[in-house]
Amino acid sequence: MKYTIRKYTQEDYSAWNDFVAQAKNATFLFHRDFMEYHKDRFEDFSLLVFEEEKLRAILPANKKGNSLYSHQGLTYGGLVFLSKLKAEKVESILDEILLFLKENQFEAFYYKPIPDFYFLEGNKAMDFFLMKRGAVLEHKEMNLAVNLTIPLKISKSKMKHFRRIENLDLDIFEEENFDPFWEKVLEPRLLEKFDAKPVHSKKEMELLKSKFPQNIKQYSAYRNDEIIAGITIFETKNVVKSQYGATSKAGEEFRALDFLFINLIHKYKRKGKHFFDMGTVNETNESGYNKGLLNQKEELGCSVYNQDFYKIEIK
């Protein structure tokens, strides 16, 4: 088959987004309006793959030095294609991409697929073909998620505190405004505990929510009109992801963050979502993960799923 590969340009905006809307393994994070909110930080080198002028696949990516990355500004990435594209063609497209990278003097390709549980149809074809071409599994991260399609396994101790808190007159709101959570809880707590800032500024999150109002939601817990915890949700077709979760010092006393998580887990289970993604627990220590965070998420009913990172040398 004759394939043509070229770098994304602004003229491809509509074609790219239309393809994302139809793809079997894409989320709203691959929409150009999401990818480009931080375009000043990354040198975009996303690719479009055509077969006889028909768009067959896209690859959200950025260039850094002589390497191509599954876009480093996104939580996950990978080759995006339609359900009707068979594995054999995925293999052919991968070979064409590797040839394209060689011709453009790239030395390495770093590939970060979306975790399996995001898609009922699976998403492992590229992983297999990459490994057969000499890719190495550079590292893994533990991704914690609750399977909402089976009975919940929230620990007895979490549920005991949940029932106690239910009587404390805590209110949960879905908010349009990020100000209370960002300014009174998230930013000060990250600064205090980790000397860090959120990946997204409040202004960036407001911009993204204006573009994706059905996908980005803010839930906050209040007591006596004071915000004490919040969770920022990224909602996709099958999965909801807690992008940010934090509690104030007052909220810690009531375990308000657990209270909010358990409420949202039940809410999205009723809505028919398949998984509640609580993100990774990786840390730059000897064990490679945060043991306290892992335990907390497992007690909320999470199981461990893998986030894989591949590297292939371009030869």
Side-chain angles (χ1 to χ4, degrees):
M1 294 294 178
K2 177 63 176 175
Y3 291 100
T4 303
I5 299 177
R6 62 175 171 81
K7 183 174 175 287
Y8 172 86
T9 69
Q10 195 60 37
E11 292 177 357
D12 299 313
Y13 175 87
S14 294
W16 177 285
N17 291 331
D18 290 344
F19 193 85
V20 166
Q22 300 173 51
K24 87 162 195 173
N25 59 344
T27 74
F28 75 98
L29 273 68
F30 298 156
H31 192 288
R32 297 307 307 191
D33 286 348
F34 192 100
M35 291 180 62
E36 292 175 8
Y37 86 87
H38 50 18
K39 60 185 177 182
D40 57 315
R41 294 182 228 166
F42 301 95
E43 182 182 350
D44 190 274
F45 208 95
S46 298
L47 301 178
L48 298 94
V49 182
F50 295 88
E51 179 187 3
E52 298 174 353
E53 299 186 4
K54 179 77 173 178
L55 185 58
R56 293 299 188 195
I58 59 174
L59 181 70
N62 70 283
K63 179 181 181 182
K64 186 176 181 182
N66 293 321
S67 296
L68 187 76
Y69 289 81
S70 279
H71 204 292
Q72 291 174 292
L74 302 178
T75 308
Y76 41 66
L79 188 73
V80 177
F81 47 88
L82 305 181
S83 296
K84 62 185 178 182
L85 193 73
K86 302 302 182 186
E88 190 174 359
K89 283 200 172 185
V90 174
E91 181 178 25
S92 298
I93 287 171
L94 173 59
D95 284 335
E96 291 293 333
I97 289 173
L98 294 177
L99 180 60
F100 175 86
L101 296 181
K102 181 180 179 181
E103 290 173 346
N104 284 272
Q105 281 78 55
F106 283 95
E107 296 176 358
F109 177 30
Y110 293 85
Y111 191 81
K112 178 175 58 176
I114 307 177
D116 278 355
F117 59 82
Y118 270 76
F119 305 110
L120 298 180
E121 298 179 60
N123 190 39
K124 279 293 188 184
M126 272 285 284
D127 303 46
F128 177 85
F129 297 131
L130 275 167
M131 297 290 280
K132 294 297 285 184
R133 281 150 183 78
V136 296
L137 186 60
E138 190 185 36
H139 74 280
K140 278 180 177 281
E141 293 180 357
M142 285 192 288
N143 197 124
L144 277 291
V146 181
N147 186 340
L148 301 177
T149 67
I150 61 175
L152 299 175
K153 299 178 181 178
I154 302 170
S155 74
K156 291 180 180 179
S157 63
K158 294 283 188 195
M159 289 308 301
K160 178 182 176 182
H161 287 290
F162 176 78
R163 285 187 285 269
R164 180 176 64 83
I165 295 167
E166 275 188 306
N167 300 319
L168 292 180
D169 203 25
L170 265 64
D171 297 308
I172 295 176
F173 299 106
E174 181 180 347
E175 302 197 277
E176 291 300 317
N177 193 337
F178 290 104
D179 289 357
F181 179 55
W182 243 254
E183 295 177 2
K184 297 181 180 179
V185 180
L186 183 62
E187 289 181 332
R189 290 298 272 169
L190 281 177
L191 186 63
E192 176 189 344
K193 296 175 76 173
F194 305 107
D195 193 26
K197 294 180 179 180
V199 173
H200 303 86
S201 69
K202 179 167 65 72
K203 187 176 180 180
E204 288 172 338
M205 192 58 71
E206 288 168 344
L207 171 65
L208 290 172
K209 183 169 174 59
S210 73
K211 301 281 189 181
F212 305 98
Q214 300 305 311
N215 302 103
I216 299 176
K217 297 175 180 177
Q218 175 62 43
Y219 293 97
S220 302
Y222 284 77
R223 186 164 191 263
N224 299 330
D225 297 326
E226 177 190 359
I227 186 170
I228 57 174
I231 296 173
T232 309
I233 291 290
F234 280 10
E235 183 173 341
T236 59
K237 182 180 179 181
N238 299 316
V239 178
V240 287
K241 182 179 190 300
S242 54
Q243 189 69 21
Y244 294 105
T247 182
S248 67
K249 284 186 177 179
E252 280 184 349
E253 181 183 342
F254 302 108
R255 303 198 183 186
L257 189 59
D258 284 350
F259 180 75
L260 191 49
F261 265 123
I262 292 171
N263 269 287
L264 292 180
I265 288 168
H266 283 287
K267 172 187 175 72
Y268 282 107
K269 183 176 176 65
R270 291 192 299 270
K271 286 184 70 174
K273 296 296 181 184
H274 297 148
F275 280 87
F276 194 113
D277 181 0
M278 293 195 191
T280 60
V281 293
N282 56 299
E283 198 170 82
T284 54
N285 57 20
E286 187 177 349
S287 62
Y289 67 94
N290 184 313
K291 294 183 179 180
L293 201 54
L294 175 62
N295 182 63
Q296 178 198 6
K297 292 180 179 184
E298 285 184 319
E299 287 190 346
L300 285 167
C302 286
S303 297
V304 175
Y305 298 86
N306 288 327
Q307 171 71 73
D308 295 332
F309 297 78
Y310 296 96
K311 176 185 178 183
I312 185 167
E313 302 285 351
I314 307 299
K315 299 176 181 177

